[in-house]
Amino acid sequence: AKNGLENYACNLKNSLRDETLKNKFTTSDREKLTEIVDSTISWLEKNPNSTKEDILTKQKELESVAMPI
């Protein structure tokens, strides 16, 4: 679960940096995504021993912001 969340967050971050994709996001959406992705990556680094349930909850939080965009 941890690797899945980490990969998802990193893929989103890379999409936000990709020149061909980043212009498809509004500035507001880019800011929201950047904030939640950075927050998620930081959380993962600070909580290396988190439970599967905690990780899945964090992934749902990230998806709830990313999916509508």
Side-chain angles (χ1 to χ4, degrees):
K2 181 179 177 184
N3 288 339
L5 176 56
E6 193 170 38
N7 287 336
Y8 185 61
C10 288
N11 285 336
L12 282 172
K13 191 167 194 158
N14 289 335
S15 294
L16 291 168
R17 292 181 178 162
D18 186 304
E19 289 300 321
T20 58
L21 295 176
K22 78 177 189 180
N23 292 329
K24 295 185 180 193
F25 300 106
T26 65
T27 301
S28 174
D29 287 346
R30 221 176 12 254
E31 288 171 357
K32 278 188 226 173
L33 283 171
T34 299
E35 183 179 323
I36 191 80
V37 166
D38 290 345
S39 170
T40 300
I41 292 170
S42 176
W43 181 86
L44 281 167
E45 290 170 353
K46 292 176 183 173
N47 298 283
N49 298 319
S50 40
T51 66
K52 183 178 180 180
E53 291 80 21
D54 289 341
I55 293 168
L56 292 175
T57 299
K58 200 68 174 170
Q59 181 153 352
K60 287 179 186 174
E61 289 175 17
L62 179 56
E63 288 173 349
S64 73
V65 173
M67 289 300 196
I69 297 172

